[in-house]
Structure formats: C-alpha cells, structure tokens
Amino acid sequence: MSEITILATLATVHFIALMSPGPDFALVVQNATRYGRQTGLYIALGLSCGILLHSILSLTGVSYLVHQQPTLFALVQIAGGSYLFYLGYGALKATWASWQREPASTTHIDAPQLLLSNKRQAFSRGFATNILNPKALVFFVSLMSSLVPATMSLSGKGAALAILWILSLAWFSFLAWALSTQRMQRKLQAITLYIDGLCGVIFSLIGAGILWQSASSLLI
C-alpha cells in the first residue's frame, strides 16, 4: 500500500470518528451555543492540540506502552473518567440552578459563566477533555498501529500527524462557527438549558462508565 493510500485511509477513518457523538463533540456543542464563537473556536483548538499530542504519543509508542500496563492504564482511566464526570456534574448542577430561577432569566449568562469566555480557559478545557479521555488513547493506538507502518518515511509520518491535526481543527471549528451564527443562536436560545442538561448527562454517563471499567480492571 502506497503512502498516499495510507494517508487517505487514515484521513477517512479519522474524519468519520470525529463526526461520531462523544465528549469532544458535546463540549463544542455545549460551549459554542452557550458562550459564542470565540469560546467555541478556542475549545476547538484545544481539542485538536489534544488529538495531535495523542497522535504523537501513539506514533512514538508511548501510548502503546501505557495501554500495555494494566495498573498505569487504569490510573489514566480514573483520571479521565473523573474529569469527564466532573464536567457532567458541573453542567447538571448549573442546569438545575437555572431551572430554579425565573423563566425569563434562563437565557441570561451570569458572571461566573462568562469566565469560560477566557481564551486560555476555553483552550485548556478542550485540551484536557481530549487528552484525559482514555478512549481517545485506545483509538489512536489502534489507528496508528493498524494504518501507519513502522517502515513509513519520516515525511509520511509527519504528513499523517498534520492530517489528523488539520482535520480535527477544521471540523470542530466548523461546528463552533455553525452553532454560533446569529440565525442559529436565535434558534438555540430557547433550548440552551436543555443542551446544557443533555451534555451534562453525556459527560456524566461516559465518565461514570470509564470509572466503572477502571475499577473493575483493578479488582480483577
């Protein structure tokens, strides 16, 4: 198989995975609809940098070594699951607090929520959500080991990393942009609270599932 074919296959598989609903997708949807375009774009940048780091660690074999050590991998799962559960709990808590207010105030973004419009915080949230997700570690280990041969040229491996990063940044940025247009914001304003609640449920369930899996592996 030629390097061009390998890179095309890699790009296709990765792009399909990007469009699949998961923590990264939910994070962009939640924050782009709630806080606007700038926050969504910086979260997209953080997510894509997390994907780039996962790709580098997988390509160099570091992620594979972590995955092969049950105790170490379980600790990674605990850290990632706890973080995702924390995001879910925070979203659900904020949603519940908003439900207690007057209906007219549910579309108002208060001062504490505006903290996430800080560029550094938005980038950090995106980066942490991706890099601490143990499912992402497993995905990239599988992707790199099955599609990128060890004999691939250095330029080919560099192109693979560039493709993964550019596709991730382009997709999540497009998602953030599409959800933050004035027309879309007017449509989403009435259901922002429901989006927050749904994303909170997604984060909580995924985080709890990862924690349960890591606890089970430690007890075996």
Side-chain angles (χ1 to χ4, degrees):
M1 187 183 294
S2 67
E3 289 193 355
I4 293 178
T5 304
I6 291 172
L7 293 175
T9 304
L10 185 71
T12 302
V13 173
H14 181 56
F15 189 64
I16 293 173
L18 284 174
M19 293 189 291
S20 302
D24 295 351
F25 188 94
L27 189 72
V28 176
V29 171
Q30 180 190 25
N31 289 282
T33 55
R34 167 65 74 174
Y35 304 112
R37 181 167 299 170
Q38 178 175 267
T39 297
L41 291 176
Y42 273 92
I43 283 178
L45 180 60
L47 289 170
S48 62
C49 286
I51 288 172
L52 177 61
L53 182 55
H54 266 304
S55 303
I56 293 173
L57 294 176
S58 297
L59 199 60
T60 56
V62 174
S63 293
Y64 177 77
L65 293 176
V66 172
H67 189 228
Q68 293 302 109
Q69 299 295 321
T71 302
L72 182 57
F73 184 61
L75 292 176
V76 172
Q77 286 183 304
I78 291 172
S82 298
Y83 183 73
L84 292 175
F85 189 81
Y86 162 77
L87 290 182
Y89 172 76
L92 291 174
K93 183 179 179 181
T95 301
W96 177 254
S98 295
W99 274 112
Q100 305 306 305
R101 302 171 188 162
E102 292 296 323
S105 68
T106 57
T107 57
H108 174 68
I109 300 176
D110 54 26
Q113 289 174 321
L114 283 173
L115 289 174
L116 196 57
S117 64
N118 177 280
K119 297 176 183 178
R120 180 178 298 178
Q121 187 179 8
F123 174 87
S124 299
R125 171 117 1 138
F127 182 80
T129 299
N130 183 269
I131 202 65
L132 289 176
N133 185 358
K135 293 184 180 296
L137 184 149
V138 175
F139 171 76
F140 283 103
V141 167
S142 302
L143 187 68
M144 291 301 190
S145 61
S146 61
L147 291 180
V148 180
T151 56
M152 193 176 193
S153 67
L154 188 60
S155 60
K157 292 178 180 179
L161 293 175
I163 287 172
L164 294 175
W165 182 72
I166 291 172
L167 275 178
S168 304
L169 180 60
W171 167 248
F172 289 128
S173 295
F174 168 76
L175 191 61
W177 175 84
L179 291 171
S180 58
T181 60
Q182 289 185 357
R183 182 179 180 182
M184 185 61 72
Q185 285 285 297
R186 286 195 297 270
K187 291 182 177 180
L188 294 174
Q189 188 176 28
I191 61 171
T192 298
L193 205 59
Y194 300 99
I195 294 174
D196 286 345
L198 178 59
C199 290
V201 170
I202 292 173
F203 287 131
S204 298
L205 289 177
I206 294 176
I210 292 172
L211 288 172
W212 175 262
Q213 185 179 359
S214 61
S216 299
S217 64
L218 287 174
L219 292 174
I220 294 176

